[in-house]
Amino acid sequence: MRYVLIDRITELQPPEYAKGVKCVSLSDDIFGDHFPGYPVMPGALILEAMAQLGGVLLEAAMREQDHHNLHALLTMVQRAKFRRVVRPGDRLELEAHCLTVSEDGGQIKAKAFLEGKVASEAELMFAFAKVTSPRLLQTRRDVLNVWLHGAVENPTG
């Protein structure tokens, strides 16, 4: 994944909700072009951050139902609203609340907050794809462990 847009998952309570953080940095390569002299985080990347958190929530809900090889794919965005400009130095607090989840996919309501105020919100729909590669499954577990704990559980094994 080229753009990992979650720095930390602070709460994961499947299937109900997840919370996470994205610290927006001037060193993020998107700010070279968006926009010179007035760097602004693109709305599409704010949506992607919310989608990454929502995907983690839905996948965790399915793991609780003994489905360990599903990857959530964003399929639809509805009712997206952008209320505040997100700039370097901002800390986005992300929330995802599960509306529905099944073996076919799921729907979440996501919000991004700046200083306690809604910066963006949307309803996001996902489909599940089965992951069969053991290497890819391990990589996904490693990323999740970094998001949740700050480190890979077993870096040597």
Side-chain angles (χ1 to χ4, degrees):
M1 176 178 353
R2 170 141 166 106
Y3 287 104
V4 176
L5 293 171
I6 302 173
D7 292 321
R8 180 61 62 110
I9 295 174
T10 56
E11 292 184 58
L12 182 59
Q13 299 295 322
E16 288 86 24
Y17 70 94
K19 293 183 179 183
V21 174
K22 167 62 179 160
C23 296
V24 182
S25 172
L26 188 58
S27 65
D28 293 343
D29 63 358
I30 50 108
F31 292 122
D33 297 316
H34 205 272
F35 296 99
Y38 190 78
V40 174
M41 186 172 185
L45 294 183
I46 297 169
L47 282 173
E48 177 62 22
M50 293 187 299
Q52 288 177 13
L53 183 64
V56 167
L57 174 61
L58 295 175
E59 290 171 13
M62 292 312 295
R63 279 194 303 277
E64 287 193 342
Q65 296 179 26
D66 211 26
H67 298 283
H68 297 275
N69 63 341
L70 297 178
H71 175 60
L73 303 172
L74 181 64
T75 59
M76 190 181 302
V77 176
Q78 292 184 321
R79 293 182 263 297
K81 295 179 181 147
F82 302 95
R83 301 180 185 283
R84 302 207 178 325
V85 174
V86 178
R87 305 216 33 202
D90 286 340
R91 177 183 165 101
L92 274 179
E93 301 283 339
L94 306 167
E95 289 185 4
H97 294 269
C98 183
L99 301 175
T100 64
V101 64
S102 72
E103 287 182 47
D104 296 324
Q107 182 176 2
I108 64 150
K109 178 147 178 104
K111 291 184 180 181
F113 296 88
L114 280 176
E115 298 176 0
K117 296 179 182 173
V118 176
S120 183
E121 61 186 310
E123 287 185 16
L124 308 174
M125 277 60 70
F126 297 81
F128 285 122
K130 290 188 179 175
V131 178
T132 58
S133 164
R135 188 172 132 247
L136 183 55
L137 286 168
Q138 184 60 50
T139 299
R140 294 181 60 71
R141 281 192 295 271
D142 291 346
V143 169
L144 183 59
N145 279 320
V146 169
W147 278 340
L148 287 168
H149 310 293
V152 175
E153 273 186 357
N154 185 7
T156 60

